[in-house]
Amino acid sequence: MLNQNNNLIAVSFILIILLLGVGIFLLANLKLGKKLNKSFYHLQLTKIKKLLEQANYTVVAMESDKLLDSALKELGIRGSTMGERLKNCTSLGLNLNDVWWAHKLRNKAAHEVGCNISAVNANKIVKILEISLKKL
């Protein structure tokens, strides 16, 4: 009888530990209803569109990338770089092919001498940013 009670206590303890572990995992990996500050992101998007009108295309790419990265951080997406966060945000419904394209183009402009962003690509980047922010 005593051995049976000890087994029941041990099994109960293991189940509690497992449930706590699952709960912690879910808390760490879900957005938990976090929402972005819409007015902040709308204002920043407006500023980026003004840069687009001023033909500051490389700056448009940089600022767009930073703004999307800020949103991913605010939503609690894990990673120490934008690239890592993009790998960890597959469940957000973003068009990751487009987002990766914009991020890679931004990186190219940031790291390669003489690389400039064209007006066509800058407009595409802003559209990707706008659609991505709406989904977030």
Side-chain angles (χ1 to χ4, degrees):
M1 179 84 163
L2 184 60
N3 196 19
Q4 197 173 21
N5 284 341
N6 285 343
N7 286 344
L8 185 59
I9 290 171
V11 169
S12 297
F13 183 71
I14 290 170
L15 284 174
I16 290 170
I17 297 293
L18 284 172
L19 289 172
L20 283 172
V22 168
I24 290 169
F25 175 81
L26 290 174
L27 285 174
N29 289 291
L30 295 176
K31 289 196 308 183
L32 299 175
K34 288 184 181 180
K35 296 197 178 194
L36 297 178
N37 178 340
K38 288 182 182 180
S39 60
F40 169 78
Y41 286 93
H42 179 72
L43 177 64
Q44 297 306 312
L45 183 59
T46 301
K47 289 179 181 179
I48 290 171
K49 287 180 177 180
K50 285 183 182 173
L51 291 170
L52 191 59
E53 293 168 7
Q54 298 166 0
N56 290 329
Y57 304 134
T58 300
V59 177
V60 165
M62 302 293 175
E63 293 300 312
S64 296
D65 194 70
K66 289 192 296 188
L67 187 60
L68 185 56
D69 192 32
S70 174
L72 295 176
K73 287 178 190 174
E74 190 174 325
L75 290 172
I77 304 301
R78 293 176 296 138
S80 59
T81 65
M82 171 73 158
E84 288 177 10
R85 280 183 281 284
L86 288 176
K87 290 177 185 176
N88 290 323
C89 75
T90 55
S91 65
L92 296 179
L94 300 177
N95 184 332
L96 288 175
N97 286 332
D98 285 350
V99 173
W100 271 108
W101 173 84
H103 180 64
K104 287 177 185 177
L105 188 56
R106 173 260 173 223
N107 282 348
K108 186 174 180 179
H111 299 291
E112 290 184 19
V113 176
C115 178
N116 294 307
I117 306 291
S118 69
V120 170
N121 284 340
N123 278 290
K124 185 175 177 183
I125 288 170
V126 170
K127 192 54 138 172
I128 291 167
L129 173 65
E130 190 168 22
I131 290 168
S132 298
L133 289 174
K134 284 180 182 176
K135 288 186 178 187
L136 298 177

